[in-house]
Amino acid sequence: NQIHVFNGTSNTYVQAISGTAATAQFNAIAAAPDGSLVYRTSMPESAVKVIDPFSDSVVASVAVMGDPRALVLSRDNQFLYVSNLSGAVRKLRTSDLSTVWSTTVGSGTYGMGISSDGSWLYVPDSGSNQIHKVNSQTLF
């Protein structure tokens, strides 16, 4: 259970996070584009943890839903999307971790993707073997 931090601009290794922040069981991570924060799921706590990768410390935590499985950040780093195995999807504002909206899309969501312009969220549904296209601004 380590998170390795790389600088995407220079393609250089920054550090490994291996202490308190990274040791809990998690399924997904997402990093802010500037590398200042790392988000990870926390299955035992049904939460998303916000980690400062330089101090290896949890700087915030937000309860989301049971068994969170996937995370994706909007390209502008203003929103974080989290989903779980039951198909629940939640949009969080990164500035204060408040919920913008939540919905349920199928079941068995092990990952997510976001369109390059940030307007569409792609949520796989292993229950129906489909990918749901969700309007990230207004839902469906």
Side-chain angles (χ1 to χ4, degrees):
N1 274 332
Q2 286 188 335
I3 298 172
H4 295 272
V5 181
F6 291 84
N7 180 317
T9 302
S10 64
N11 293 322
T12 56
Y13 180 77
V14 177
Q15 75 176 51
I17 301 172
S18 59
T20 306
T23 57
Q25 185 180 8
F26 63 93
N27 281 321
I29 62 170
D34 65 1
S36 62
L37 295 173
V38 175
Y39 302 85
R40 73 157 171 84
T41 59
S42 176
M43 289 174 48
E45 299 170 289
S46 301
V48 170
K49 301 290 185 177
V50 184
I51 302 166
D52 176 336
F54 301 101
S55 67
D56 188 22
S57 59
V58 175
V59 295
S61 179
V62 61
V64 284
M65 71 279 277
D67 201 16
R69 294 286 175 140
L71 294 173
V72 67
L73 272 167
S74 62
R75 303 255 180 213
D76 61 7
N77 195 37
Q78 291 187 23
F79 301 101
L80 177 70
Y81 300 88
V82 59
S83 67
N84 74 355
L85 196 55
S86 299
V89 179
R90 187 173 292 184
K91 180 179 183 179
L92 303 173
R93 188 173 287 107
T94 56
S95 61
D96 61 5
L97 299 176
S98 63
T99 298
V100 177
W101 57 251
S102 60
T103 190
T104 301
V105 180
S107 65
T109 56
Y110 285 98
M112 286 186 293
I114 194 163
S115 62
S116 59
D117 67 359
S119 60
W120 296 102
L121 189 64
Y122 299 96
V123 184
D125 178 352
S126 64
S128 67
N129 295 321
Q130 296 180 350
I131 296 175
H132 298 279
K133 185 177 179 182
V134 178
N135 184 318
S136 67
Q137 306 301 312
T138 60
L139 284 177
F140 307 102

